[in-house]
Amino acid sequence: MSTPVLTVEHMTMRFGGLVAVDDLSFTAGRRQITSIIGPNGAGKTTVFNCITGFYKPTTGRLTLTHENGDAFLLERLDDFRINHLAKVARTFQNIRLFGGMTVLENLMVAQHNPLMLASGYSLAAVLWPASYRRKEKEAVELARYWLEKTGLIHRADEAAGSLPYGEQRRLEIARAMCTRPVLLCLDEPAAGLNPKESEELNELLVSIRDDEGISILLIEHDMGVVMKISDHIVVLDYGRKIAEGTPEEVRNDPAVIAAYLGVSDEDEVQEVIHEQH
Amino acid sequence: MSETTRAGAAAPSPVRNPVVEALKEALMAGLLAATLASFILGVKTVDAPGGLQLEYRWHWVLIAFGVVAVGRFLLRLLWWRRDAALPGAAAAIGRSAGQLAQPLGKFAGPALLAAAFLLPFMPFIGRYEMDIAILVLTYVLLGWGLNVVVGYAGLLDLGYVAFYAVGAYAYALLATHFGLGFWTVLPLAGILAAIWGMILGFPVLRLRGDYLAIVTLAFGEIIRVVLLNWQEVTGGPDGISGIPRPTFFGLEFKRFGENTFHQFFGIEFSPMHRLYFLYFIILVLALITYMVTNRLRRLPVGRAWEAMREDEIACRSLGINPTNTKLTAFAIGAFFGGLGGSFFATRQGFISPESFTFIESAIILAIVVLGGLGSQIGVAIAAIVMIGGFEVFRGLEEYRMLLFGLLMVVIMVWRPRGLVSHRMPTIFLGKERKAVSAEMVGEGSG
């Protein structure tokens, strides 16, 4: 198997006295869908924020490796450089679109860095706009590709804020894909979707993995989505990894069942974990 | 007052006598007016032997009570038929007017442009009208410059006048000390102001909302205080006088001298020539500002500004460098402020720190906000209304301030997001060019 796209080693994140993530290590395979699951408050989004640079982990090392062998230490990069250089794109739990801009404009903003370069940092293009037109057309084509793929092409010229919820979720994924990422991090993409939309999301994610060859890191509560499409699952509880494996392994793991269903006695949980190892 | 009517409506009284209701309200309003009036109108200080004495004028209080109570009674009975809240109704009127204004907007731009070019050749234009037109265009330029920072990038800048001052003093000092001409200094002044824009930008990058506004306000004041106190360089409160006027390809606009405009063209000397010339300079400068900012908006940097206004965190997740993006907005805005300042210096021939007080920043900001954040045509119309209107009502003396305030309140009630509140997208996939309605567009929190 090729090298994993993301390796997280001994990552700890403290907020004052609160330990949100405690000595977490895992890897995300290339061209695989890796899911992070766990009860509310388990520290899943904190892990995401550390990977995408919105938080700096207290300790630990996060290595992102490109297919050509280039490696980036994510804990040392600014958030916007993680997207620009390391090619990690993300979506947000509470959707963050540019509501007053059209769907197409949202996807153009996502291609900011290559377009900046093409427009001579906007200086050349102010004086001579024709020089930049070809590159802009290419950017529109990429946007059109993702709009067709996410079924939003008929909405291209509408304000992003006026779209229904499910379409906003898809647009956020399309926008992240327009940055041409190596690793796509999705924070609860199925939240608030109806079963049909959920099914479409599954197809989209599988297509991103299989057709585009992009690795996906997924936080999700919807087990229908997680169990069906994940290649690898990491289970967190109270900031610690309590289990890891294929969907089948995780589904039958007593520690996971205990964490989700609740076990009255703390010792009992420890016992269950001991049995597992 | 509306609370009392609502409470009355909620009370279990199936039959409400409108006259009684109106009387109740009129009494309340009258009492409120009388309370306020007793302090303002009821007492007057008069000079008397042995110091100031109070003179009581209770009849004035009575008159205030009467006017307000009767007015309220009549309004309630005849005008306000239902309990509809006024702002809601006003907003509804605003919306319908907005729909009407949209097709109008298509012609407003070209019509204004044609009017601007033809204006000096109109028969009714004299020296005074020309002066006002130049002033209005200066504010149009400044409004378009500030629009980049406040309208596009959503960064509330209360110290814009600082860059105006930098541009003005840059030209004044370089011209009086080194003999550089207006056309040489113009770009230099812009660049200097842009550098100051970045110097201001750096410390305030992390600040948002009210905090950003306060720091930019302070920056504007710092520049003014430095100009006031750095006597050796800026002349302090005396200012700088004898600033050279711009030349037309080396030809001066003077009655006597070597290289004068009227001699070269063999025409009669007229002081109006220079005014025409200044008018066309500022018109061209304003149009350059318009074209550059309009073009920037359609380029990646402009989209990044607007995206930053909508959601900064999302921007960072897409690899947009927030520092660079904000600094370019500050620098571009300041650049045009500097151009405007240079023009101001050459037009006046004399500058002093008094011209660069906070009220200037406030007026420019008011133009941008009234025009509609981000809308260039709206800013132009707002500048004409604000500056031109202010001059038109000069005859009313101090009452014009009252009228001015009233006008601003009316505009903000009628169109809370400015005269032109919808946003035109920068790129379209389809053929139809549809605007984005104001409710969707963010105002920025910085």
Side-chain angles (χ1 to χ4, degrees):
Chain A
M1 203 182 97
S2 60
T3 51
V5 65
L6 176 74
T7 312
V8 175
E9 294 163 276
H10 303 293
M11 187 181 91
T12 299
M13 180 79 215
R14 285 198 195 92
F15 296 102
L18 177 83
V19 183
V21 179
D22 189 7
D23 195 27
L24 174 71
S25 301
F26 72 93
T27 60
R30 195 173 297 283
R31 296 197 178 136
Q32 288 197 337
I33 296 178
T34 307
S35 293
I36 301 176
I37 62 169
N40 283 329
K44 305 182 295 288
T45 299
T46 308
V47 172
F48 252 46
N49 282 340
C50 288
I51 292 169
T52 51
F54 284 85
Y55 297 155
K56 293 283 159 231
T58 319
T59 61
R61 189 160 75 163
L62 305 130
T63 319
L64 188 112
T65 321
H66 285 183
E67 214 151 3
N68 61 10
D70 288 351
F72 299 87
L73 294 177
L74 300 184
E75 78 276 8
R76 297 191 186 171
L77 289 175
D78 284 330
D79 43 17
F80 63 91
R81 292 212 171 84
I82 286 181
N83 179 274
H84 184 192
L85 304 174
K87 298 275 164 215
V88 177
R90 73 169 292 178
T91 65
F92 295 88
Q93 197 172 349
N94 44 344
I95 305 171
R96 286 182 174 275
L97 289 169
F98 307 124
M101 304 175 86
T102 66
V103 169
L104 179 61
E105 281 180 303
N106 268 268
L107 302 190
M108 296 299 280
V109 171
Q111 302 176 60
H112 177 78
N113 287 315
L115 284 178
M116 262 319 244
L117 211 63
S119 67
Y121 294 94
S122 295
L123 262 178
V126 165
L127 303 173
W128 193 38
S131 62
Y132 153 80
R133 225 159 262 158
R134 193 173 55 84
K135 286 285 179 188
E136 189 178 61
K137 222 170 243 166
E138 284 174 21
V140 172
E141 283 315 306
L142 181 68
R144 188 200 296 273
Y145 175 77
W146 280 108
L147 286 177
E148 270 163 8
K149 213 150 164 135
T150 49
L152 293 171
I153 193 80
H154 60 293
R155 298 281 205 180
D157 292 334
E158 280 173 46
S162 68
L163 298 189
Y165 190 81
E167 292 188 351
Q168 291 198 4
R169 283 255 174 236
R170 291 212 297 278
L171 175 57
E172 219 189 3
I173 295 173
R175 189 180 67 179
M177 288 309 297
C178 276
T179 64
R180 298 177 187 271
V182 167
L183 175 67
L184 177 65
C185 300
L186 303 170
D187 197 345
E188 298 199 20
L193 299 190
N194 63 35
K196 186 173 157 286
E197 288 174 321
S198 214
E199 190 53 44
E200 284 169 1
L201 178 75
N202 277 358
E203 283 166 27
L204 177 65
L205 296 188
V206 168
S207 158
I208 287 174
R209 176 189 62 186
D210 297 343
D211 304 341
E212 313 289 329
I214 285 159
S215 323
I216 295 178
L217 197 61
L218 182 70
I219 292 181
E220 192 47 74
H221 274 303
D222 186 338
M223 287 302 145
V225 173
V226 172
M227 292 298 166
K228 210 177 282 173
I229 64 171
S230 300
D231 298 299
H232 188 75
I233 297 179
V234 177
V235 190
L236 293 187
D237 194 20
Y238 293 108
R240 278 174 304 168
K241 182 173 77 179
I242 57 170
E244 174 170 31
T246 62
E248 202 53 42
E249 287 165 5
V250 165
R251 201 199 306 263
N252 300 319
D253 193 308
V256 176
I257 296 166
Y260 267 89
L261 299 179
V263 175
S264 55
D265 195 8
E266 187 68 22
D267 296 334
E268 213 171 314
V269 177
Q270 289 302 322
E271 235 168 75
V272 168
I273 293 171
H274 271 292
E275 273 169 31
Q276 187 63 25
H277 290 290
Chain B
M1 267 326 106
S2 63
E3 261 69 33
T4 55
T5 42
R6 270 193 216 114
S13 57
V15 186
R16 276 189 356 212
N17 191 338
V19 179
V20 176
E21 284 288 315
L23 263 177
K24 251 194 235 167
E25 253 186 57
L27 196 71
M28 283 294 289
L31 280 176
L32 193 70
T35 316
L36 286 173
S38 64
F39 299 115
I40 301 164
L41 299 172
V43 283
K44 189 188 177 191
T45 52
V46 284
D47 271 320
L52 286 175
Q53 273 187 344
L54 287 179
E55 181 191 307
Y56 298 97
R57 306 186 297 182
W58 298 121
H59 58 284
W60 276 105
V61 179
L62 214 64
I63 289 170
F65 175 85
V67 167
V68 171
V70 171
R72 180 85 191 192
F73 180 75
L74 290 176
L75 275 176
R76 182 76 178 85
L77 209 60
L78 305 174
W79 197 271
W80 299 333
R81 286 283 171 191
R82 272 159 293 145
D83 286 340
L86 182 65
I93 297 167
R95 263 197 296 283
S96 57
Q99 281 155 6
L100 202 92
Q102 211 148 327
L104 231 138
K106 250 181 220 162
F107 305 105
L112 278 177
L113 186 65
F117 270 105
L118 293 175
L119 189 76
F121 309 110
M122 294 288 161
F124 55 86
I125 296 294
R127 206 192 152 87
Y128 171 66
E129 287 79 7
M130 213 60 213
D131 262 330
I132 294 178
I134 292 171
L135 193 67
V136 166
L137 279 176
T138 313
Y139 279 96
V140 170
L141 183 153
L142 293 172
W144 279 337
L146 184 63
N147 193 26
V148 170
V149 184
V150 181
Y152 296 164
L155 303 161
L156 185 54
D157 184 354
L158 291 182
Y160 193 60
V161 77
F163 310 122
Y164 189 46
V166 167
Y169 273 85
Y171 174 59
L173 292 172
L174 289 173
T176 51
H177 289 287
F178 301 102
L180 295 179
F182 176 70
W183 297 106
T184 326
V185 177
L186 191 66
L188 276 179
I191 290 165
L192 271 171
I195 291 171
W196 277 104
M198 286 202 255
I199 291 173
L200 163 70
F202 258 113
V204 303
L205 279 173
R206 286 160 190 282
L207 303 179
R208 325 206 55 177
D210 312 348
Y211 305 98
L212 176 76
I214 288 171
V215 174
T216 51
L217 173 82
F219 181 76
E221 283 301 288
I222 289 170
I223 293 272
R224 192 179 62 81
V225 170
V226 166
L227 292 176
L228 202 58
N229 289 289
W230 199 6
Q231 195 104 27
E232 306 86 70
V233 176
T234 64
D238 301 338
I240 300 171
S241 54
I243 301 168
R245 303 301 188 145
T247 56
F248 182 77
F249 296 105
L251 300 173
E252 293 187 63
F253 291 87
K254 279 181 183 164
R255 189 182 291 272
F256 308 107
E258 291 292 300
N259 251 337
T260 59
F261 180 78
H262 67 283
Q263 277 173 352
F264 187 85
F265 285 97
I267 47 175
E268 191 81 13
F269 173 79
S270 157
M272 286 297 281
H273 288 158
R274 190 174 71 213
L275 276 181
Y276 288 146
F277 182 52
L278 282 173
Y279 178 82
F280 280 110
I281 291 179
I282 188 66
L283 183 60
V284 168
L285 284 181
L287 287 179
I288 290 173
T289 310
Y290 175 84
M291 284 194 298
V292 170
T293 52
N294 197 32
R295 211 172 255 184
L296 279 175
R297 195 173 94 88
R298 283 152 213 279
L299 288 174
V301 71
R303 290 202 195 105
W305 289 336
E306 292 200 81
M308 196 70 80
R309 176 191 69 202
E310 300 280 327
D311 194 326
E312 185 178 333
I313 288 176
C315 273
R316 288 192 285 162
S317 84
L318 298 172
I320 296 173
N321 184 335
T323 310
N324 292 354
T325 307
K326 283 186 188 175
L327 282 185
T328 45
F330 269 118
I332 299 281
F335 178 84
F336 292 113
L339 293 192
S342 261
F343 177 80
F344 175 76
T346 193
R347 180 178 88 105
Q348 299 287 100
F350 165 76
I351 52 169
S352 75
E354 245 170 72
S355 310
F356 308 106
T357 51
F358 169 67
I359 191 73
E360 289 294 317
S361 290
I363 289 174
I364 303 165
L365 186 68
I367 288 173
V368 175
V369 173
L370 288 181
L373 291 172
S375 161
Q376 291 184 302
I377 189 80
V379 168
I381 294 169
I384 293 168
V385 171
M386 293 263 301
I387 306 299
F390 203 54
E391 289 297 327
V392 166
F393 294 113
R394 196 171 273 282
L396 296 176
E397 293 173 9
E398 55 260 47
Y399 292 105
R400 77 183 168 146
M401 275 317 239
L402 216 66
L403 201 77
F404 192 61
L406 190 71
L407 179 78
M408 286 175 76
V409 171
V410 165
I411 291 181
M412 284 290 104
V413 170
W414 174 51
R415 310 226 67 194
R417 303 283 306 243
L419 292 171
V420 182
S421 52
H422 60 263
R423 174 183 174 272
M424 212 57 196
T426 57
I427 190 166
F428 296 90
L429 201 61
K431 289 269 177 332
E432 201 188 348
R433 304 175 79 78
K434 224 170 18 176
V436 172
S437 80
E439 288 94 68
M440 296 293 159
V441 182
E443 288 158 20
S445 55

